[in-house]
Amino acid sequence: MDALSVLLQNVHLFETKYYRLNGAGNWSYSLTRQDTILFYLVMSGSFCIDVGNGRREAHAGDLIMIPSAHKHTSYALNHHGEDAEPLDELLNNCKENTLDLHGDGDPSSSLILIECKYDKEMIRPLLSVLPSILPEISEESEGRFEVIDVEIRLLTLEAKHERMGKTAIINHWASIMMIECLRVYIESLPEATDNWLKAMKDPFLTKALVAMHEIPSKNWTIHKLAEVAGMSRSSFAQRFKDVVGIPPLTYLIDYRLRLAARYLRLQQNSISRIGELVGYASDSTFSQAFKRVYGVSPKAYRQQYQQQLLA
């Protein structure tokens, strides 16, 4: 398995929603979300997105990912987004997942907006190094694959019918779009960047990353990881820190504890068993390490999560 695949294997998108937005005239809207990834598929025409630190134009055939959506404004090319209405209010007039924006007649642009929730802990390191809006994947973009065009057609068809399994299908589509956007973005990273995602392209570091993610319970040492990477101990340790920004075992501990937090939320295994699954031989060592990061013991963390579900 490649490094990006193992990085994403515990990153799950859920509660995916989608809307077809047909804009005519000087349309605009604002959208505020938390803990949400947004995708725009531009079916026809053009429009602008402003995420607060710059204006981005998007055109027919483009795919755009906004990885950590807080607030942004979308508007027609010949508009400036003034007096943008909240999209949630406009969606009160949405029929069959389709919303006509500002005006009659043929739309000057047609978009599919997809929004989905994610597991905050598992995706945190990824979001920390992504730009507020990823470079658009256009029809001319190097690395664009036909799967995007197929997906657009399938999503358009799916939107027209209520069929069993629709939610599961759309969640999977959102994951495919995220992977497509990420790999095109990673492939475009210059060698001089300090973005740790360039480790995904490193032929030596990827071997160590895959090993840590696939077997987090193993008693990994710098020496063992260096052997997996095919490097000397000192060269591996230095290269990993230079590219990823932290030492290998610091990265491993962070991953183990994020994975433990996920297991505590979603599994019924005992705390002792979860500790074993992420590489801790004793309950006390696991509890101490977990509390240093999350501020509470594994037991208290699980109880807090269960209480939130009942609230």
Side-chain angles (χ1 to χ4, degrees):
M1 190 180 295
D2 64 275
L4 182 59
S5 294
V6 297
L7 178 69
L8 296 175
Q9 65 183 349
N10 288 302
V11 174
H12 300 284
L13 304 182
F14 56 93
E15 293 185 16
T16 302
K17 301 176 183 177
Y18 67 96
Y19 309 97
R20 180 137 188 179
L21 309 177
N22 299 319
N26 289 328
W27 62 271
S28 64
Y29 65 80
S30 62
L31 181 59
T32 302
R33 290 288 186 269
Q34 289 186 340
D35 303 331
T36 302
I37 290 177
L38 297 178
F39 300 96
Y40 279 102
L41 296 169
V42 188
M43 308 300 292
S44 63
S46 303
F47 79 111
C48 294
I49 303 176
D50 191 336
V51 293
N53 59 357
R55 178 178 181 269
R56 175 75 60 80
E57 290 188 7
H59 307 282
D62 287 359
L63 167 63
I64 288 179
M65 173 179 166
I66 304 178
S68 187
H70 295 296
K71 181 176 182 179
H72 74 278
T73 304
S74 297
Y75 49 92
L77 277 182
N78 56 349
H79 196 42
H80 297 287
E82 298 96 341
D83 303 320
E85 297 182 65
L87 181 62
D88 288 331
E89 294 182 10
L90 296 172
L91 288 174
N92 291 329
N93 299 317
C94 183
K95 296 180 180 179
E96 297 181 350
N97 291 80
T98 299
L99 176 66
D100 293 324
L101 296 166
H102 201 292
D104 300 321
D106 294 333
S108 57
S109 54
S110 182
L111 328 168
I112 290 180
L113 168 63
I114 300 172
E115 58 175 270
C116 40
K117 298 290 186 181
Y118 50 73
D119 185 317
K120 290 188 290 185
E121 285 304 311
M122 298 312 297
I123 206 171
R124 172 167 46 84
L126 183 62
L127 294 183
S128 69
V129 293
L130 291 179
S132 55
I133 178 170
L134 267 65
E136 66 274 7
I137 302 178
S138 69
E139 292 181 339
E140 292 76 33
S141 293
E142 183 177 354
R144 178 187 172 110
F145 291 92
E146 291 182 359
V147 65
I148 293 298
D149 304 302
V150 172
E151 193 163 286
I152 291 173
R153 291 195 293 271
L154 290 174
L155 185 58
T156 303
L157 289 172
E158 191 71 26
K160 295 179 180 178
H161 306 284
E162 285 296 330
R163 301 182 64 196
M164 293 184 294
K166 174 183 280 191
T167 299
I169 286 176
I170 294 174
N171 284 336
H172 283 303
W173 282 345
S175 296
I176 291 171
M177 284 188 289
M178 178 178 68
I179 294 168
E180 181 71 7
C181 290
L182 287 175
R183 62 184 178 184
V184 172
Y185 173 70
I186 292 170
E187 287 165 357
S188 69
L189 287 174
E191 286 301 317
T193 184
D194 59 359
N195 190 319
W196 74 266
L197 286 176
K198 72 178 181 180
M200 301 293 106
K201 301 191 294 181
D202 188 297
F204 300 100
L205 298 185
T206 52
K207 296 175 183 177
L209 288 167
V210 168
M212 285 188 278
H213 279 257
E214 287 191 331
I215 319 176
S217 59
K218 186 169 180 175
N219 183 25
W220 291 111
T221 63
I222 298 292
H223 178 72
K224 290 178 182 178
L225 290 169
E227 284 186 337
V228 170
M231 301 176 68
S232 70
R233 183 186 184 282
S234 58
S235 296
F236 168 73
Q238 188 62 53
R239 185 170 184 148
F240 194 100
K241 187 174 182 180
D242 288 345
V243 175
V244 180
I246 54 177
L249 296 186
T250 302
Y251 178 93
L252 176 62
I253 291 170
D254 176 73
Y255 175 65
R256 282 173 166 171
L257 294 177
R258 286 187 292 110
L259 190 60
R262 175 176 173 78
Y263 289 163
L264 288 166
R265 294 192 304 273
L266 303 180
Q267 292 187 1
Q268 297 302 314
N269 282 326
S270 68
I271 290 173
S272 178
R273 176 57 180 155
I274 289 174
E276 291 175 3
L277 290 173
V278 297
Y280 288 91
S282 73
D283 292 356
S284 60
T285 304
F286 172 47
S287 183
Q288 290 169 8
F290 192 90
K291 190 171 183 178
R292 276 197 298 270
V293 174
Y294 290 94
V296 294
S297 68
K299 181 179 179 180
Y301 181 88
R302 173 177 269 174
Q303 290 174 339
Q304 288 176 2
Y305 177 72
Q306 292 171 343
Q307 289 169 359
Q308 289 173 3
L309 293 179
L310 296 174

